[in-house]
Amino acid sequence: MNIHATFFDNHQRATVEAAMARIIPSDDTPGAREARTVDFVDRYLSGIDYIYALPDGSGFEQLEGRRAAAWQQRVDLARSKYVAGIAELDRLCLEQHRAQFVHLDEHEQDEMLRRIERAGTPEAERAWRDTPAIAYGGPVEPALQQTNAEADMDFFNLLVTHTRQGFLADPIYGGNRDQLGWQVIGFPGPASLAEVHAGRYNTLDFFADNRVHRGQEDNHDRQA
């Protein structure tokens, strides 16, 4: 397994990195660029070697058979959306500003992202064209801990989803460098997936004010 596996060429990677930096910009806190969300999506698109992290955090499950085929089909579809979407984004930028997306200033980049964001516009439709949806045929499973379906997304929404995932997913998936995303939202997070699997870590302290279940509170009070 190549831990440095990538899919994008240099220009595609620079374009995606710049676009992600406008979706979660850097201000008084780190943004997508510092959290290296581009590493997350670049490695995801490299193949099917980084889909499910092993429970002990030591690596990734090696998919086989129909599961592997279904995931490869899914990754191939996402690849085609990125390639077509980046090309269309650059075409619009050249038409509007006579420069590719990566060479625009931040205001111009925001303007061009808004153009492809609007569903139903010719630009958004063109970014979606030639990337047909598919039925995966595989078992119903959480993908990179997400619950939405990439097959239903156009390029822009896929980019936004991967930016969020790369910012907040466990660092083992390639993004959230040094847990910067978690630090921004005040989430302590586990030191590794092994802590979660062994039961030494859970999210109750972060999400709940009271660790005792409501139905258990009454019994606890009566016993007191």
Side-chain angles (χ1 to χ4, degrees), residues 5 16 45 61 67 77 91 101 107 149 152 163 180 205 207:
V16 170
L45 295 178
E61 180 181 351
R67 289 181 74 210
L77 177 62
R91 190 194 68 79
F101 182 82
H107 173 75
D152 296 329
T163 303
L180 286 177
D205 288 334
F207 290 107

Side-chain angles (χ1 to χ4, degrees), residues 125-138:
E125 291 297 327
R126 196 172 294 112
W128 172 241
R129 189 179 60 192
D130 299 330
T131 55
I134 59 172
Y136 299 137

Side-chain angles (χ1 to χ4, degrees), residues 22-209:
R22 300 313 304 151
I23 294 169
I24 304 181
S26 309
D27 42 32
D28 57 332
T29 58
R33 194 181 298 278
E34 291 79 11
R36 305 303 302 163
T37 57
V38 68
D39 291 342
F40 167 86
V41 69
D42 205 3
R43 196 170 69 167
Y44 169 52
L45 295 178
S46 71
I48 58 172
D49 288 337
Y50 305 97
I51 302 301
Y52 295 110
L54 294 173
D56 63 1
S58 63
F60 288 81
E61 180 181 351
Q62 295 305 294
L63 303 181
E64 298 177 346
R66 292 181 177 178
R67 289 181 74 210
W71 267 102
Q72 187 62 61
Q73 192 175 13
R74 174 174 182 155
V75 171
D76 288 344
L77 177 62
R79 286 173 169 177
S80 69
K81 291 183 180 183
Y82 269 94
V83 170
I86 293 168
E88 176 60 12
L89 181 60
D90 270 342
R91 190 194 68 79
L92 291 170
C93 293
L94 288 166
E95 178 182 272
Q96 184 75 23
H97 297 288
R98 298 183 179 181
Q100 294 174 319
F101 182 82
V102 292
H103 301 303
L104 304 182
D105 64 33
E106 293 180 351
H107 173 75
E108 292 168 337
Q109 288 179 342
D110 289 347
E111 171 199 348
M112 300 312 298
L113 289 175
R114 280 195 292 271
R115 284 188 65 179
I116 64 169
E117 177 187 10
R118 297 178 185 131
T121 63
E123 293 83 1
E125 291 297 327
R126 196 172 294 112
W128 172 241
R129 189 179 60 192
D130 299 330
T131 55
I134 59 172
Y136 299 137
V140 177
E141 299 170 307
L144 295 172
Q145 310 306 316
Q146 69 185 41
T147 58
N148 47 16
E150 291 179 357
D152 296 329
M153 295 181 183
D154 61 15
F155 165 63
F156 179 79
N157 284 296
L158 196 58
L159 179 67
V160 171
T161 294
H162 286 158
T163 303
R164 291 171 177 163
Q165 291 175 339
F167 196 69
L168 297 172
D170 191 286
I172 197 171
Y173 289 102
N176 192 11
R177 177 72 59 87
D178 297 330
Q179 301 184 353
L180 286 177
W182 290 351
Q183 293 174 31
V184 168
I185 64 172
F187 178 59
S192 71
L193 286 181
E195 282 199 343
V196 179
H197 181 64
R200 295 191 297 269
Y201 179 87
N202 67 59
T203 58
L204 276 178
D205 288 334
F206 180 75
F207 290 107
D209 294 328

